[in-house]
Amino acid sequence: DAKTTQPPSMDCAEGRAANLPCNHSTISGNEYVYWYRQIHSQGPQYIIHGLKNNETNEMASLIITEDRKSSTLILPHATLRDTAVYYCIVRDYNAGNMLTFGGGTRLMVKP
Amino acid sequence: GAVVSQHPSRVICKSGTSVKIECRSLDFQATTMFWYRQFPKQSLMLMATSNEGSKATYEQGVEKDKFLINHASLTLSTLTVTSAHPEDSSFYICSATPGQLVNQPQHFGDGTRLSIL
C-alpha cells in the first residue's frame, strides 16, 4: 500500500473547521483513501473513505485532489470531543482488507 | 452500523499466565478478522489475519506459538497470549469488515488493555 505523510500535530479552535492534510504521492489507481480516528484508549473509528470524488457524510468531508496525490479531511465544526489522533490510510482493494497505520495527526481542539 | 465487540476491556495478571481475548462481530458475519497491537505513544501494528475455518496468517516478527488465534465461527475470533510476560503488556485491538465489497471499511473493537505484572 502507498505510504502517507501527515503532520504530527495540529490545533483547532472549538467551533471552527478542522482541515487535516494527507500526502499520498505514490497512490495507485486501485487505492482508496480512508480516514480513521482514535480517541485515547479506544479502538479506531471509521470516518470516511473515497477513491477519486469528494465525499461527505455526517461526520466529515473528504477532499481528494484531481491528481489524487493528496487529500484533506474536513471537520466542519470541531468540538472538544473531536480531539483524537487522525489516521489517513491508502489501501489497494485488491490486496486484502488489512490496514497499515502510520503516525497520524494528533488534533487538539481547544476551547 | 457494523459493531465489533471486544472482551475483556482490561486484564491485569501475573507473569506466566495465559490470557484469552475475544473479538465478536455483533451484527454481521466476518470470514476475516484482524488483530493489532499498540504500544504507548505508537501507532497500531498489524499482528495477524484471522481466517474463519483455517490457520491465521502472522506478520513478520510475531510468534505464532505465543499468540494463538482461533476463528471458529463467522462472528468470533479469539487471541490467546500464552505465558504472558511484562513485555507483552500492550493494547490489543481487533477489527472486521462486513460484506464482500472490496472497499468496505474495517470496524474496530474498543481494544483490550493487557498489563502483565
Side-chain angles (χ1 to χ4, degrees):
Chain A
D1 290 339
K3 181 180 170 63
T4 62
T5 304
Q6 298 177 254
S9 64
M10 290 181 63
D11 289 345
C12 178
E14 187 180 19
R16 303 295 295 269
N19 298 292
L20 293 92
C22 179
N23 284 323
H24 31 79
S25 58
T26 59
I27 194 170
S28 69
N30 294 334
E31 290 180 312
Y32 280 76
V33 180
Y34 290 80
W35 283 84
Y36 287 81
R37 72 180 182 184
Q38 186 177 26
I39 295 170
H40 183 62
S41 294
Q42 296 182 21
Q45 176 189 24
Y46 166 75
I47 301 173
I48 199 167
H49 74 285
L51 182 63
K52 289 188 289 188
N53 299 322
N54 298 335
E55 302 287 345
T56 295
N57 63 21
E58 65 278 4
M59 289 183 69
S61 295
L62 173 61
I63 308 297
I64 302 174
T65 57
E66 194 169 338
D67 63 8
R68 302 208 323 124
K69 292 185 176 182
S70 66
S71 60
T72 301
L73 178 75
I74 301 173
L75 307 178
H77 305 287
T79 70
L80 298 179
R81 282 189 279 189
D82 292 322
T83 292
V85 178
Y86 287 76
Y87 295 100
C88 167
I89 302 169
V90 292
R91 181 170 69 81
D92 183 342
Y93 59 71
N94 290 321
N97 278 327
M98 73 283 290
L99 298 174
T100 302
F101 286 80
T105 295
R106 184 172 298 276
L107 175 69
M108 179 74 73
V109 180
K110 298 184 174 180
Chain B
V3 178
V4 175
S5 174
Q6 227 175 300
H7 178 80
S9 58
R10 186 175 180 96
V11 180
I12 302 173
C13 58
K14 294 180 180 179
S15 185
T17 306
S18 291
V19 178
K20 180 187 283 188
I21 302 169
E22 293 186 347
C23 179
R24 295 181 185 272
S25 54
L26 295 187
D27 50 0
F28 64 96
Q29 294 182 330
T31 55
T32 303
M33 293 183 175
F34 301 93
W35 288 96
Y36 296 81
R37 179 167 55 180
Q38 186 176 31
F39 291 107
K41 299 190 186 300
Q42 296 186 22
S43 190
L44 282 78
M45 294 295 294
L46 179 67
M47 297 176 66
T49 301
S50 172
N51 304 300
E52 188 268 335
S54 65
K55 291 182 180 180
T57 305
Y58 291 83
E59 295 299 301
Q60 192 171 12
V62 178
E63 299 175 57
K64 62 180 181 181
D65 294 331
K66 181 164 187 64
F67 299 99
L68 301 180
I69 291 173
N70 183 279
H71 195 150
S73 78
L74 289 171
T75 59
L76 173 63
S77 174
T78 61
L79 169 69
T80 301
V81 183
T82 62
S83 186
H85 292 286
E87 58 266 28
D88 298 321
S89 298
S90 189
F91 192 47
Y92 293 86
I93 308 167
C94 70
S95 72
T97 301
Q100 299 299 317
L101 294 178
V102 293
N103 64 340
Q104 286 291 306
Q106 281 191 36
H107 294 271
F108 289 80
D110 272 338
T112 296
R113 188 161 301 282
L114 176 61
S115 300
I116 308 298
L117 305 178

